[in-house]
Amino acid sequence: DVVMTQSPLSLPVTLGQPASISCKSSQSLVYSDGNTYLNWFQQRPGQSPRRLIYKVSNRDSGVPDRFTGSGSGTDFTLKISRVEAEDVGVYYCMQGTHWPLTFGQGTKVEIK
Amino acid sequence: EVQLVESGGGLVQPGGSLRLSCAASGFTFRSQAMSWARQAPGKGLEWVAAISGSGAYTYYADSVKGRFTISRDSAKNTLFLQMNSLSAEDTAVYYCAKCPGSTSYGSLEYWGRGTLVTVSS
């Protein structure tokens, strides 16, 4: 199975400051069709997960542009340019290139 | 608006069975692959199973293979997860999720609110 390793696992951030989450996969996530199926999800407290980013860098409708996904191959990053109170929650990366689909352990973002 | 509403969760004894349902609306159900994922209390997310839009192809996590069966009824816009031989390790909130295409499983673009399954004597 492809192992997804996120860091850090806990991320205290000051409001208005940037935040960055790393996600590394144990194998390349480039699929035979040329796409890289790397996703980012946000799970706010008490809510179900919500997709933020798909195929590395494509932002979902309604997702603020302060969220940016980047990376390639086995190394990916989610950046929040200026953290707001509503960004508190757990963030997961997920690969959809190889079976079984696998998630990272999650990164808990909290306000300092 | 895409809506996914799970039901069928509850308390079941070890070794027992449960069937989860997911009522879908707001999109052409028969042409979209679907998945189930789960989250044990206080833990992270785990993908469980997926099914193609036609229902012809199914995929499972090793942890549930041979015990769980994913299926769909496109006439009723409903996704199912039949769970047998349940153990405490299966205790989790189970989420239904929509995939991007008929045989495109690379993402989980919409999620339901989940249904809690508790396996305990």
Side-chain angles (χ1 to χ4, degrees):
Chain A
D1 296 2
V2 176
V3 177
M4 305 296 289
T5 303
Q6 289 183 230
S7 62
L9 299 184
S10 178
L11 184 55
V13 188
T14 302
L15 286 172
Q17 292 301 302
S20 180
I21 301 170
S22 169
C23 176
K24 297 182 189 294
S25 59
S26 60
Q27 298 177 36
S28 172
L29 299 186
V30 181
Y31 189 54
S32 54
D33 64 2
N35 289 309
T36 300
Y37 294 99
L38 186 282
N39 306 270
W40 289 97
F41 297 90
Q42 174 194 62
Q43 188 173 32
R44 290 171 171 153
Q47 295 188 13
S48 52
R50 165 200 183 196
R51 193 180 71 175
L52 298 177
I53 302 283
Y54 61 97
K55 287 193 278 188
V56 181
S57 59
N58 294 273
R59 205 179 294 118
D60 269 279
S61 175
V63 174
D65 60 8
R66 63 179 181 274
F67 289 93
T68 303
S70 63
S72 62
T74 62
D75 204 342
F76 305 93
T77 303
L78 176 69
K79 292 183 179 177
I80 310 174
S81 58
R82 295 171 305 278
V83 171
E84 298 189 6
E86 66 178 18
D87 300 335
V88 165
V90 182
Y91 292 77
Y92 297 92
C93 60
M94 186 205 89
Q95 66 83 18
T97 297
H98 304 281
W99 294 110
L101 309 185
T102 48
F103 291 88
Q105 317 97 299
T107 295
K108 186 173 185 178
V109 172
E110 58 184 10
I111 304 301
K112 279 184 187 175
Chain B
E1 179 194 3
V2 172
Q3 288 200 342
L4 300 169
V5 180
E6 301 91 339
S7 61
L11 176 64
V12 60
Q13 291 191 337
S17 299
L18 212 55
R19 190 194 199 200
L20 305 183
S21 300
C22 170
S25 61
F27 63 100
T28 307
F29 181 73
R30 65 178 178 274
S31 62
Q32 301 296 308
M34 300 290 294
S35 268
W36 287 97
R38 66 184 180 182
Q39 186 170 36
K43 302 297 184 183
L45 298 168
E46 179 188 16
W47 171 79
V48 172
I51 187 168
S52 63
S54 67
Y57 304 101
T58 57
Y59 306 85
Y60 297 94
D62 284 347
S63 58
V64 306
K65 200 174 292 182
R67 300 188 301 121
F68 289 13
T69 302
I70 187 172
S71 62
R72 62 194 299 157
D73 183 339
S74 290
K76 296 183 179 179
N77 285 359
T78 303
L79 179 72
F80 301 102
L81 186 67
Q82 177 67 43
M83 305 186 297
N84 299 329
S85 303
L86 287 162
S87 70
E89 288 67 42
D90 297 314
T91 294
V93 174
Y94 284 74
Y95 295 102
C96 159
K98 175 186 173 298
C99 300
S102 178
T103 53
S104 177
Y105 311 93
S107 190
L108 303 175
E109 55 181 348
Y110 294 99
W111 297 59
R113 292 190 175 186
T115 186
L116 176 62
V117 172
T118 303
V119 184
S120 175
S121 55

